[in-house]
Every structure is written in C-alpha cells, then in structure tokens.
C-alpha cells in the first residue's frame, strides 16, 4: 500500500514539473493519434457520404463490414499491419516498421471504420429527414450535401471524438508495429505497459493519470458538442 | 422568382401504387393560372398528399403523364414552385437561417437574403423568433415558418398541404390572408384542406378526392350548393364515407372491404 501511495505522489510531482520524459511520450501519442484521426477522416468521410447518399449492389455488405470493423481487436490489426510492413511483406521496401508512421497506419485502420459507420449513420438519417424539403427547394446535389454536413456537424464531430478516443487509448497495435523503442516510438499506452511490467509504477501511474484525464476531456467534449448542438439547432 | 408561370400543369391518367395498393387511380386534370385558388378536399387517405407531391415532382407517377406547359429546364421549373408539407420539414438552424437557405438555393442575390427573410418572418408573425432554432418552435409556429419559407422565394405555384391544420384561430386567419394575398399577386394556389369553412372562404374551385380518384371538380359555389357526386354530398354533410358507402348501393349492405378491393383491383 505504501509503495502505491509513494508512486502516486511521485507521479503527480512528475506531472507538475512537466518531466521531459513524460512530455516526449505524451506529445508523440498526440501526434500519432491526431494524424491518424485526420487521415481516417479524409478517407472515412467520403466513404460515409457515398454509403449514405447512393445505392448500389453490395452496399449493405460494405456497410455491415464497416460496422463489424469498429470492433476489430487492435492486436490483430497491429499484427496484420506488421506483416504488411515487415521486410518480407509487400510494403517492406518502405522500411516503415518500428516508426511513428507505422503506428499512424495501424491507427488509421482502427479509426476509419468508426468514422465511416458513425458518420454514415448520421448523414443517412439526416438525408432521410431532409430529402423532400431539399428537393422541394430545388437544391443541387452539391448544395444538398453541404446542408447535410453543416446541419450534421455536431454528430459528425462526435464521431471524430469517438475515433480519437479509440486511437489514443489502444495499446496492442502501436506496440506491435512501433516496437516501443525509447525516444522513437514510445507512446503513453506502450510506456505504461512497459513500465508496469518492469515494476516502475511512478511513470506508469503518471501516464495513466494523463490518459484518464484525456479520455475524460474527450467525453466532456462529446457531451459539450451534443448540448451545444441541441441548444443551437434543436436536433 | 422571375420568368413566366410554368402553368398549366396537365395530368393525364396518372396512377401510383404504394405497397401493392393503387393509391392514385387514373387522375386526369389540369391546373391553370385561373382560377387562382384550387382546394383539394376528401377524406383521410384519399390520396390528396400524394397527388400534391406528384404535381410538385417529389414523387414520379407509376403510370400516366405529368406535364408542365412551358418547356423549362428542371431547375427553373423547381424554382417556380414551392410547397408546404403536411408535417413541416425544417432544417436544424434558426428560423431566419431556414429562410436564408431557401433564398440561397433559389439563387437570390446575397445582399437581398436578410431583408427578404426578415420580411417573410414579419408577415408570418415570427419576427421575435428569428434567432430561435426552427425545431424548437411550437408546431403551429413551425407550420408558419414552413409557409414563410415557401413564400420567401416568390414561387409561381404554391402547393399547400393543410397549412392551417394546427394553427390557432388568429394564426389560421393570418395564414388565410397570406394565401389570399399571394393569390392576388398572381401565385397559383393548390391547397389541401380539411376545414370546410376555410374551403368555403378560400376556394375558387374544388377538387374532391376519394380513394385515389378525383370524384368531382367544380367551381366552389357550385360544389357547395349542388355537388354532383353523392360521396361529395355526403362529405360536405360531414358523414363518414366508409359508413355512407354501404347505404349508397341501393340500400344493399355492401361490405366496405369488398368495395375497396374492387376499387383497388381496377387500376
Ligand atoms: N409509402 C406508402 N406505403 C403504403 N401506403 C402508402 C404510402 N404512402 C401513402 N400510402 C397510402 O396512400 C393513401 C393516400 O395517402 P395520402 O397521404 O395521399 O392521403 P391524404 O389524402 O393526404 O390523407 P390525409 O387527409 O390523412 O392527409 C393512404 O391510404 C396511405 O395509407
Ligand atoms: Mg395528407
């Protein structure tokens, strides 16, 4: 009990003094996950729009696949990306394994299905609702899409927060493709895993606190975005 | 907004089915600039809303022809019309932003948006709700906002699906005078109403629908004094038509189901 208490105190003082080791790890985490989120959004939003606004054979299957992929185990995603990027894999020539880029790729794979599924759902229900009104007003397809995206911005933002939450908190994928190399690919989750297994609770707990704070912040943001949405547009 | 009226609108043998049921049957009629106000009446489920949507181009008919007189492109045609739905569909924006969006889509100059939108809110008595999210307005206010959004783009043809259904008497009166005003300024009104008193006040001409068919079409005064169709007669007298139907057939008890299936089979 005493050990834990001391570790907790030490970790707080580490946070308060903005320990270099800690900051480095936190910044890398944020860089990897935010980049992954941006890329996943660039890939996912157009796919979501396509699935929401068009009908084609096989659409249902794609839709269900993306829904299923929302729950992909990060370790398995990590493993697959590892195989693809490893020296003998198809993308081995790029030498990406054990770099932050590899971690970003793995997280893009994890986040994209979330963006696609949640954004598709939002856009589709908005479309169903607005369809007649927009046609009645004579909106062009481009005008219609911009109305749907703008009026759905709060739900779309919520979907992105959910994606970021998944990226920042996962450990399996970045561990495998990043390798948890000090000063290179060590992020919050992998550091916690490593330090805890070494018995160094101070760093692990400190980072744990940061992670919890981050996910709390995300949840507050989600809540805030929702209530802002309700207040502004009565959705 | 600008340009000539696309009327007359001609419907020929228009048929529509939904879930295997024929909900519009052999509808042949013409909507011309004159008379200005046509009111469609008939019992629930008669197909009034569907007919209006077919005219407006939101639903394409399964059979028959829907044809506007002046050959215009689809955009000009859709901009010459506006519609107020039975259930208002408002955007997740403030009341004034709803109107501005309509103006933007209709291609009005940006400098005019605000003034026109404010004017329309003023006329529908919604000025103090300009900044209120449209969807938190009361249902009656939403209906007035929907009318404001239809009027603000200055259509040539205005389709109204029970525009006063949930309005208080004063608001209903306001809406009726707005409709009159629009009609006077040359807008063709095609409107559905369940309120026979309102219909008497507003209509120049009446279309009576029953089970997907136009049963009678007549100038308003003639319709109310001497309706030709026995169902129309019963409807004006406030009778329930599905009951009435049994006695119409020479007192023979014709089961309502039999009537309808026979009706529906004939497409
Ligand atoms: N998508 C649909 N599927 C099945 N039936 C439909 C569908 N849409 C409309 N109908 C049927 O078509 C008929 C006509 O509908 P419509 O909405 O035009 O009636 P209405 O005359 O406007 O009635 P009300 O006075 O109640 O508004 C109804 O019997 C309705 O059940
Ligand atoms: Mg109706």
């Amino acid at each position: 009990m005493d050990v834990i208490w001391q570790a907790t105190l030490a970790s707080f003082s580490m946070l308060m003094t903005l320990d270099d080791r800690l900051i480095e790890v936190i910044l890398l985490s944020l860089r990897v996950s935010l980049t992954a989120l941006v890329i996943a959004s660039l890939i996912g939003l157009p796919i979501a729009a396509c699935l929401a606004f068009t009908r084609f054979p096989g659409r249902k299957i794609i839709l269900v696949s993306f829904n299923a992929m929302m729950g992909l185990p990060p370790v398995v995603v990590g493993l697959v990306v590892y195989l693809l990027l490893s020296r003998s894999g198809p993308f081995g020539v790029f030498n990406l394994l054990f770099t932050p880029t590899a971690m970003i790729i793995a997280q893009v794979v994890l986040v994209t299905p979330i963006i696609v599924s949640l954004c598709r759902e939002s856009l589709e229900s908005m479309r169903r609702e607005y369809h007649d009104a927009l046609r009645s007003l004579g909106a062009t397809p481009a005008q219609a899409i911009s109305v749907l995206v703008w009026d759905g911005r709060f739900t779309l933002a919520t979907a992105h927060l959910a994606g970021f939450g998944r990226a920042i908190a996962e450990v399996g994928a970045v561990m495998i493709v990043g390798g948890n190399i000090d000063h290179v690919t060590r992020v919050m989750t992998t550091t916690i895993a490593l330090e805890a297994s070494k018995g160094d609770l101070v760093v692990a707990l400190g980072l744990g606190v940061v992670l919890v704070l981050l996910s709390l912040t995300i949840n507050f943001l989600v809540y805030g975005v929702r209530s802002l949405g309700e207040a502004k547009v009565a959705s | 907004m600008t340009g000539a009226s696309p009327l007359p609108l001609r419907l020929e043998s228009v048929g529509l089915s939904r879930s295997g049921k024929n909900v519009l049957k052999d509808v042949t009629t013409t909507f011309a600039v004159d008379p200005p106000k046509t009111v469609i009446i008939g019992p629930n489920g008669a197909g009034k809303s569907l007919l209006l949507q077919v005219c407006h181009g939101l639903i394409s008919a399964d059979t028959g022809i829907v044809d506007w007189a002046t050959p215009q492109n689809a955009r000009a045609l859709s901009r010459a019309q506006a519609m107020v739905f039975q259930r208002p569909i408002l955007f997740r924006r403030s009341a004034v932003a709803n109107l501005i969006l309509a103006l933007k889509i209709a291609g009005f100059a940006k400098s005019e948006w605000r003034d026109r939108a404010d004017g329309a809110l003023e006329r529908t008595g919604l000025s103090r709700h300009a900044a209120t999210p449209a969807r938190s307005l009361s249902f009656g206010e939403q209906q007035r906002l929907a009318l404001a959004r239809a009027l603000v783009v200055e259509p040539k043809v205005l389709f109204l699906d029970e525009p006063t259904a949930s309005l208080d008497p004063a608001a209903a009166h306001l809406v009726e005078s707005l409709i009159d005003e629009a009609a006077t300024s040359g807008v063709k009104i095609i409107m559905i109403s369940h309120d026979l008193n309102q219909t008497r006040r507003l209509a120049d001409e009446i279309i009576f629908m029953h089970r997907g068919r136009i049963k009678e079409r007549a100038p308003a005064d003639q319709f109310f004094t001497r309706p030709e169709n026995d169902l129309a007669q019963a409807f004006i007298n406030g009778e329930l038509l599905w009951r009435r139907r049994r006695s119409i057939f020479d007192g023979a008890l014709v089961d309502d189901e039999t009537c309808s299936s026979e009706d529906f089979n004939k497409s």
Side-chain angles (χ1 to χ4, degrees), chain B residues 16-24 40-53 59 86 161-162 192-194 209 211-212 264:
Chain B
L16 183 74
S17 65
R18 282 283 180 272
S19 322
K21 265 189 355 179
N22 294 314
V23 287
L24 287 182
I40 304 173
I41 60 172
N44 292 131
K48 306 180 296 295
S49 293
L50 290 175
L51 177 65
L52 216 60
Q53 290 178 50
I59 301 177
Q86 191 163 6
D161 196 342
E162 299 184 37
I192 297 172
S193 177
H194 274 302
M209 286 189 74
R211 291 200 178 149
F264 288 135

mmCIF file of all heavy atoms in Angstrom, chain B residues 16-24 40-53 59 86 161-162 192-194 209 211-212 264, ligand 1:
data_model
loop_
_atom_site.group_PDB
_atom_site.id
_atom_site.type_symbol
_atom_site.label_atom_id
_atom_site.label_comp_id
_atom_site.label_asym_id
_atom_site.label_seq_id
_atom_site.Cartn_x
_atom_site.Cartn_y
_atom_site.Cartn_z
ATOM 1 N N LEU B 16 -50.609 5.680 -59.350
ATOM 2 C CA LEU B 16 -49.494 5.495 -58.425
ATOM 3 C C LEU B 16 -49.858 4.360 -57.478
ATOM 4 O O LEU B 16 -50.996 4.283 -57.011
ATOM 5 C CB LEU B 16 -49.280 6.787 -57.627
ATOM 6 C CG LEU B 16 -48.096 6.809 -56.656
ATOM 7 C CD1 LEU B 16 -46.790 6.927 -57.417
ATOM 8 C CD2 LEU B 16 -48.225 7.975 -55.681
ATOM 9 N N SER B 17 -48.908 3.471 -57.245
ATOM 10 C CA SER B 17 -49.206 2.442 -56.255
ATOM 11 C C SER B 17 -48.144 2.438 -55.165
ATOM 12 O O SER B 17 -46.990 2.776 -55.387
ATOM 13 C CB SER B 17 -49.310 1.074 -56.925
ATOM 14 O OG SER B 17 -48.061 0.704 -57.453
ATOM 15 N N ARG B 18 -48.595 2.091 -53.985
ATOM 16 C CA ARG B 18 -47.713 2.003 -52.823
ATOM 17 C C ARG B 18 -48.014 0.692 -52.112
ATOM 18 O O ARG B 18 -49.178 0.400 -51.839
ATOM 19 C CB ARG B 18 -47.962 3.173 -51.860
ATOM 20 C CG ARG B 18 -47.339 4.482 -52.298
ATOM 21 C CD ARG B 18 -45.836 4.482 -52.036
ATOM 22 N NE ARG B 18 -45.189 5.726 -52.433
ATOM 23 C CZ ARG B 18 -44.706 5.965 -53.657
ATOM 24 N NH1 ARG B 18 -44.820 5.059 -54.590
ATOM 25 N NH2 ARG B 18 -44.115 7.111 -53.932
ATOM 26 N N SER B 19 -46.982 -0.079 -51.839
ATOM 27 C CA SER B 19 -47.145 -1.383 -51.190
ATOM 28 C C SER B 19 -48.238 -2.215 -51.865
ATOM 29 O O SER B 19 -49.081 -2.798 -51.194
ATOM 30 C CB SER B 19 -47.475 -1.232 -49.703
ATOM 31 O OG SER B 19 -46.764 -0.181 -49.134
ATOM 32 N N GLY B 20 -48.238 -2.224 -53.184
ATOM 33 C CA GLY B 20 -49.187 -3.048 -53.923
ATOM 34 C C GLY B 20 -50.599 -2.490 -53.987
ATOM 35 O O GLY B 20 -51.486 -3.094 -54.579
ATOM 36 N N LYS B 21 -50.807 -1.328 -53.340
ATOM 37 C CA LYS B 21 -52.133 -0.720 -53.384
ATOM 38 C C LYS B 21 -52.109 0.424 -54.387
ATOM 39 O O LYS B 21 -51.158 1.194 -54.428
ATOM 40 C CB LYS B 21 -52.489 -0.132 -52.009
ATOM 41 C CG LYS B 21 -53.282 -1.061 -51.150
ATOM 42 C CD LYS B 21 -53.805 -0.391 -49.873
ATOM 43 C CE LYS B 21 -53.382 1.023 -49.588
ATOM 44 N NZ LYS B 21 -53.947 1.584 -48.363
ATOM 45 N N ASN B 22 -53.183 0.540 -55.168
ATOM 46 C CA ASN B 22 -53.252 1.687 -56.072
ATOM 47 C C ASN B 22 -53.773 2.874 -55.288
ATOM 48 O O ASN B 22 -54.943 2.902 -54.903
ATOM 49 C CB ASN B 22 -54.165 1.381 -57.251
ATOM 50 C CG ASN B 22 -53.576 0.288 -58.120
ATOM 51 O OD1 ASN B 22 -52.392 0.326 -58.437
ATOM 52 N ND2 ASN B 22 -54.376 -0.700 -58.453
ATOM 53 N N VAL B 23 -52.911 3.827 -55.041
ATOM 54 C CA VAL B 23 -53.302 4.951 -54.196
ATOM 55 C C VAL B 23 -53.704 6.170 -55.015
ATOM 56 O O VAL B 23 -54.383 7.062 -54.502
ATOM 57 C CB VAL B 23 -52.195 5.308 -53.184
ATOM 58 C CG1 VAL B 23 -52.130 4.241 -52.096
ATOM 59 C CG2 VAL B 23 -50.849 5.447 -53.854
ATOM 60 N N LEU B 24 -53.299 6.211 -56.284
ATOM 61 C CA LEU B 24 -53.842 7.202 -57.213
ATOM 62 C C LEU B 24 -54.291 6.449 -58.445
ATOM 63 O O LEU B 24 -53.551 5.613 -58.972
ATOM 64 C CB LEU B 24 -52.784 8.247 -57.601
ATOM 65 C CG LEU B 24 -52.391 9.288 -56.555
ATOM 66 C CD1 LEU B 24 -51.373 10.259 -57.143
ATOM 67 C CD2 LEU B 24 -53.606 10.046 -56.038
ATOM 68 N N ILE B 40 -58.148 21.136 -52.666
ATOM 69 C CA ILE B 40 -58.409 19.707 -52.775
ATOM 70 C C ILE B 40 -58.954 19.219 -51.436
ATOM 71 O O ILE B 40 -58.337 19.459 -50.394
ATOM 72 C CB ILE B 40 -57.118 18.933 -53.117
ATOM 73 C CG1 ILE B 40 -56.493 19.485 -54.397
ATOM 74 C CG2 ILE B 40 -57.405 17.445 -53.259
ATOM 75 C CD1 ILE B 40 -55.133 18.901 -54.724
ATOM 76 N N ILE B 41 -60.099 18.590 -51.465
ATOM 77 C CA ILE B 41 -60.659 18.053 -50.228
ATOM 78 C C ILE B 41 -60.953 16.568 -50.408
ATOM 79 O O ILE B 41 -60.903 16.044 -51.518
ATOM 80 C CB ILE B 41 -61.943 18.798 -49.794
ATOM 81 C CG1 ILE B 41 -63.007 18.678 -50.879
ATOM 82 C CG2 ILE B 41 -61.648 20.250 -49.500
ATOM 83 C CD1 ILE B 41 -64.363 19.225 -50.449
ATOM 84 N N GLY B 42 -61.263 15.928 -49.313
ATOM 85 C CA GLY B 42 -61.559 14.499 -49.361
ATOM 86 C C GLY B 42 -61.162 13.858 -48.054
ATOM 87 O O GLY B 42 -60.397 14.441 -47.280
ATOM 88 N N PRO B 43 -61.681 12.659 -47.807
ATOM 89 C CA PRO B 43 -61.410 12.021 -46.517
ATOM 90 C C PRO B 43 -59.941 11.621 -46.346
ATOM 91 O O PRO B 43 -59.180 11.632 -47.309
ATOM 92 C CB PRO B 43 -62.311 10.777 -46.544
ATOM 93 C CG PRO B 43 -62.603 10.539 -47.982
ATOM 94 C CD PRO B 43 -62.569 11.862 -48.652
ATOM 95 N N ASN B 44 -59.568 11.245 -45.144
ATOM 96 C CA ASN B 44 -58.205 10.780 -44.859
ATOM 97 C C ASN B 44 -57.859 9.603 -45.753
ATOM 98 O O ASN B 44 -58.674 8.717 -45.979
ATOM 99 C CB ASN B 44 -58.075 10.308 -43.401
ATOM 100 C CG ASN B 44 -58.203 11.455 -42.416
ATOM 101 O OD1 ASN B 44 -58.939 11.380 -41.453
ATOM 102 N ND2 ASN B 44 -57.485 12.528 -42.664
ATOM 103 N N GLY B 45 -56.648 9.626 -46.270
ATOM 104 C CA GLY B 45 -56.206 8.503 -47.093
ATOM 105 C C GLY B 45 -56.722 8.543 -48.514
ATOM 106 O O GLY B 45 -56.554 7.591 -49.267
ATOM 107 N N ALA B 46 -57.346 9.651 -48.918
ATOM 108 C CA ALA B 46 -57.909 9.737 -50.263
ATOM 109 C C ALA B 46 -56.814 9.840 -51.330
ATOM 110 O O ALA B 46 -57.044 9.573 -52.500
ATOM 111 C CB ALA B 46 -58.841 10.936 -50.359
ATOM 112 N N GLY B 47 -55.630 10.245 -50.912
ATOM 113 C CA GLY B 47 -54.528 10.391 -51.863
ATOM 114 C C GLY B 47 -54.211 11.849 -52.167
ATOM 115 O O GLY B 47 -53.482 12.146 -53.107
ATOM 116 N N LYS B 48 -54.721 12.749 -51.344
ATOM 117 C CA LYS B 48 -54.522 14.178 -51.585
ATOM 118 C C LYS B 48 -53.053 14.562 -51.494
ATOM 119 O O LYS B 48 -52.504 15.211 -52.384
ATOM 120 C CB LYS B 48 -55.332 14.993 -50.572
ATOM 121 C CG LYS B 48 -56.810 14.649 -50.532
ATOM 122 C CD LYS B 48 -57.569 15.479 -49.514
ATOM 123 C CE LYS B 48 -57.156 15.249 -48.074
ATOM 124 N NZ LYS B 48 -57.433 13.895 -47.565
ATOM 125 N N SER B 49 -52.405 14.130 -50.403
ATOM 126 C CA SER B 49 -50.993 14.496 -50.215
ATOM 127 C C SER B 49 -50.135 13.900 -51.326
ATOM 128 O O SER B 49 -49.228 14.562 -51.838
ATOM 129 C CB SER B 49 -50.490 13.996 -48.865
ATOM 130 O OG SER B 49 -51.143 14.680 -47.826
ATOM 131 N N LEU B 50 -50.419 12.661 -51.688
ATOM 132 C CA LEU B 50 -49.636 12.029 -52.745
ATOM 133 C C LEU B 50 -49.828 12.768 -54.067
ATOM 134 O O LEU B 50 -48.860 12.999 -54.801
ATOM 135 C CB LEU B 50 -50.034 10.551 -52.886
ATOM 136 C CG LEU B 50 -49.609 9.654 -51.716
ATOM 137 C CD1 LEU B 50 -50.155 8.243 -51.886
ATOM 138 C CD2 LEU B 50 -48.089 9.613 -51.600
ATOM 139 N N LEU B 51 -51.070 13.164 -54.358
ATOM 140 C CA LEU B 51 -51.329 13.888 -55.601
ATOM 141 C C LEU B 51 -50.525 15.192 -55.640
ATOM 142 O O LEU B 51 -49.903 15.533 -56.646
ATOM 143 C CB LEU B 51 -52.827 14.186 -55.753
ATOM 144 C CG LEU B 51 -53.189 15.003 -57.000
ATOM 145 C CD1 LEU B 51 -52.886 14.223 -58.257
ATOM 146 C CD2 LEU B 51 -54.666 15.410 -56.986
ATOM 147 N N LEU B 52 -50.506 15.873 -54.505
ATOM 148 C CA LEU B 52 -49.773 17.136 -54.438
ATOM 149 C C LEU B 52 -48.273 16.908 -54.684
ATOM 150 O O LEU B 52 -47.621 17.675 -55.388
ATOM 151 C CB LEU B 52 -49.988 17.769 -53.052
ATOM 152 C CG LEU B 52 -50.088 19.287 -53.015
ATOM 153 C CD1 LEU B 52 -51.251 19.754 -53.855
ATOM 154 C CD2 LEU B 52 -50.239 19.779 -51.584
ATOM 155 N N GLN B 53 -47.771 15.829 -54.105
ATOM 156 C CA GLN B 53 -46.339 15.539 -54.277
ATOM 157 C C GLN B 53 -46.014 15.102 -55.699
ATOM 158 O O GLN B 53 -44.919 15.377 -56.196
ATOM 159 C CB GLN B 53 -45.894 14.482 -53.269
ATOM 160 C CG GLN B 53 -45.882 15.041 -51.847
ATOM 161 C CD GLN B 53 -45.491 14.017 -50.815
ATOM 162 O OE1 GLN B 53 -44.492 13.332 -50.952
ATOM 163 N NE2 GLN B 53 -46.291 13.893 -49.776
ATOM 164 N N ILE B 59 -42.629 12.960 -56.208
ATOM 165 C CA ILE B 59 -42.875 11.554 -56.480
ATOM 166 C C ILE B 59 -43.141 11.453 -57.970
ATOM 167 O O ILE B 59 -43.859 12.279 -58.518
ATOM 168 C CB ILE B 59 -44.139 11.058 -55.729
ATOM 169 C CG1 ILE B 59 -43.984 11.249 -54.230
ATOM 170 C CG2 ILE B 59 -44.429 9.611 -56.067
ATOM 171 C CD1 ILE B 59 -45.224 10.844 -53.448
ATOM 172 N N GLN B 86 -47.423 18.622 -45.135
ATOM 173 C CA GLN B 86 -48.378 18.371 -44.064
ATOM 174 C C GLN B 86 -47.657 18.356 -42.713
ATOM 175 O O GLN B 86 -48.127 18.917 -41.736
ATOM 176 C CB GLN B 86 -49.081 17.037 -44.320
ATOM 177 C CG GLN B 86 -50.277 16.791 -43.434
ATOM 178 C CD GLN B 86 -51.177 15.682 -43.981
ATOM 179 O OE1 GLN B 86 -50.849 15.022 -44.965
ATOM 180 N NE2 GLN B 86 -52.303 15.483 -43.349
ATOM 181 N N ASP B 161 -50.143 21.767 -48.170
ATOM 182 C CA ASP B 161 -50.795 20.569 -47.648
ATOM 183 C C ASP B 161 -51.274 20.846 -46.227
ATOM 184 O O ASP B 161 -50.495 20.768 -45.269
ATOM 185 C CB ASP B 161 -49.811 19.385 -47.682
ATOM 186 C CG ASP B 161 -50.526 18.048 -47.526
ATOM 187 O OD1 ASP B 161 -51.677 18.050 -47.060
ATOM 188 O OD2 ASP B 161 -49.913 17.019 -47.868
ATOM 189 N N GLU B 162 -52.519 21.184 -46.090
ATOM 190 C CA GLU B 162 -53.129 21.531 -44.809
ATOM 191 C C GLU B 162 -52.300 22.544 -44.018
ATOM 192 O O GLU B 162 -51.817 22.256 -42.927
ATOM 193 C CB GLU B 162 -53.351 20.271 -43.962
ATOM 194 C CG GLU B 162 -54.280 19.298 -44.652
ATOM 195 C CD GLU B 162 -54.586 18.096 -43.762
ATOM 196 O OE1 GLU B 162 -54.708 18.296 -42.552
ATOM 197 O OE2 GLU B 162 -54.708 16.993 -44.299
ATOM 198 N N ILE B 192 -54.537 21.732 -49.978
ATOM 199 C CA ILE B 192 -55.367 20.698 -49.371
ATOM 200 C C ILE B 192 -55.920 21.254 -48.073
ATOM 201 O O ILE B 192 -55.196 21.916 -47.327
ATOM 202 C CB ILE B 192 -54.543 19.435 -49.074
ATOM 203 C CG1 ILE B 192 -54.006 18.837 -50.375
ATOM 204 C CG2 ILE B 192 -55.377 18.402 -48.324
ATOM 205 C CD1 ILE B 192 -53.029 17.698 -50.162
ATOM 206 N N SER B 193 -57.190 21.009 -47.824
ATOM 207 C CA SER B 193 -57.742 21.473 -46.558
ATOM 208 C C SER B 193 -58.755 20.475 -46.028
ATOM 209 O O SER B 193 -59.439 19.784 -46.779
ATOM 210 C CB SER B 193 -58.409 22.838 -46.730
ATOM 211 O OG SER B 193 -58.994 23.228 -45.506
ATOM 212 N N HIS B 194 -58.807 20.375 -44.710
ATOM 213 C CA HIS B 194 -59.828 19.551 -44.074
ATOM 214 C C HIS B 194 -60.907 20.410 -43.446
ATOM 215 O O HIS B 194 -61.844 19.909 -42.855
ATOM 216 C CB HIS B 194 -59.198 18.666 -42.989
ATOM 217 C CG HIS B 194 -58.671 17.393 -43.525
ATOM 218 N ND1 HIS B 194 -59.454 16.502 -44.205
ATOM 219 C CD2 HIS B 194 -57.436 16.862 -43.504
ATOM 220 C CE1 HIS B 194 -58.717 15.467 -44.572
ATOM 221 N NE2 HIS B 194 -57.485 15.665 -44.164
ATOM 222 N N MET B 209 -61.584 14.394 -53.745
ATOM 223 C CA MET B 209 -60.939 13.108 -53.992
ATOM 224 C C MET B 209 -61.477 12.052 -53.042
ATOM 225 O O MET B 209 -61.822 12.330 -51.893
ATOM 226 C CB MET B 209 -59.426 13.211 -53.788
ATOM 227 C CG MET B 209 -58.710 13.946 -54.888
ATOM 228 S SD MET B 209 -56.932 13.792 -54.696
ATOM 229 C CE MET B 209 -56.679 12.089 -55.222
ATOM 230 N N ARG B 211 -60.531 7.777 -52.341
ATOM 231 C CA ARG B 211 -59.826 6.531 -52.669
ATOM 232 C C ARG B 211 -59.009 6.619 -53.952
ATOM 233 O O ARG B 211 -59.117 5.790 -54.844
ATOM 234 C CB ARG B 211 -60.832 5.389 -52.783
ATOM 235 C CG ARG B 211 -61.415 5.074 -51.424
ATOM 236 C CD ARG B 211 -62.004 3.729 -51.353
ATOM 237 N NE ARG B 211 -62.498 3.530 -49.992
ATOM 238 C CZ ARG B 211 -63.538 2.770 -49.696
ATOM 239 N NH1 ARG B 211 -64.173 2.125 -50.655
ATOM 240 N NH2 ARG B 211 -63.909 2.632 -48.454
ATOM 241 N N GLY B 212 -58.208 7.650 -54.022
ATOM 242 C CA GLY B 212 -57.256 7.732 -55.132
ATOM 243 C C GLY B 212 -57.811 8.296 -56.417
ATOM 244 O O GLY B 212 -57.091 8.380 -57.411
ATOM 245 N N PHE B 264 -59.573 -1.194 -55.774
ATOM 246 C CA PHE B 264 -58.125 -1.252 -55.918
ATOM 247 C C PHE B 264 -57.696 -2.138 -57.078
ATOM 248 O O PHE B 264 -56.664 -1.915 -57.694
ATOM 249 C CB PHE B 264 -57.480 -1.777 -54.634
ATOM 250 C CG PHE B 264 -57.542 -0.777 -53.524
ATOM 251 C CD1 PHE B 264 -57.904 -1.139 -52.246
ATOM 252 C CD2 PHE B 264 -57.239 0.555 -53.775
ATOM 253 C CE1 PHE B 264 -57.959 -0.212 -51.245
ATOM 254 C CE2 PHE B 264 -57.295 1.493 -52.767
ATOM 255 C CZ PHE B 264 -57.670 1.110 -51.497
HETATM 256 N N1 LIG C 1 -45.287 4.655 -48.602
HETATM 257 C C1 LIG C 1 -46.545 4.187 -48.553
HETATM 258 N N2 LIG C 1 -46.773 2.870 -48.414
HETATM 259 C C2 LIG C 1 -48.019 2.382 -48.365
HETATM 260 N N3 LIG C 1 -49.120 3.145 -48.449
HETATM 261 C C3 LIG C 1 -48.953 4.459 -48.587
HETATM 262 C C4 LIG C 1 -47.667 5.050 -48.648
HETATM 263 N N4 LIG C 1 -47.809 6.379 -48.790
HETATM 264 C C5 LIG C 1 -49.134 6.594 -48.809
HETATM 265 N N5 LIG C 1 -49.824 5.447 -48.693
HETATM 266 C C6 LIG C 1 -51.290 5.304 -48.683
HETATM 267 O O1 LIG C 1 -51.825 6.100 -49.701
HETATM 268 C C7 LIG C 1 -53.081 6.602 -49.315
HETATM 269 C C8 LIG C 1 -53.145 8.073 -49.605
HETATM 270 O O2 LIG C 1 -52.223 8.754 -48.792
HETATM 271 P P1 LIG C 1 -52.217 10.349 -48.675
HETATM 272 O O3 LIG C 1 -51.142 10.707 -47.720
HETATM 273 O O4 LIG C 1 -52.154 10.947 -50.019
HETATM 274 O O5 LIG C 1 -53.643 10.623 -48.025
HETATM 275 P P2 LIG C 1 -54.323 12.017 -47.750
HETATM 276 O O6 LIG C 1 -55.481 12.132 -48.658
HETATM 277 O O7 LIG C 1 -53.331 13.112 -47.779
HETATM 278 O O8 LIG C 1 -54.869 11.782 -46.276
HETATM 279 P P3 LIG C 1 -54.874 12.784 -45.007
HETATM 280 O O9 LIG C 1 -56.099 13.593 -45.145
HETATM 281 O O10 LIG C 1 -54.972 11.855 -43.849
HETATM 282 O O11 LIG C 1 -53.633 13.576 -45.033
HETATM 283 C C9 LIG C 1 -53.255 6.253 -47.858
HETATM 284 O O12 LIG C 1 -54.165 5.202 -47.760
HETATM 285 C C10 LIG C 1 -51.887 5.810 -47.410
HETATM 286 O O13 LIG C 1 -52.002 4.774 -46.471
#
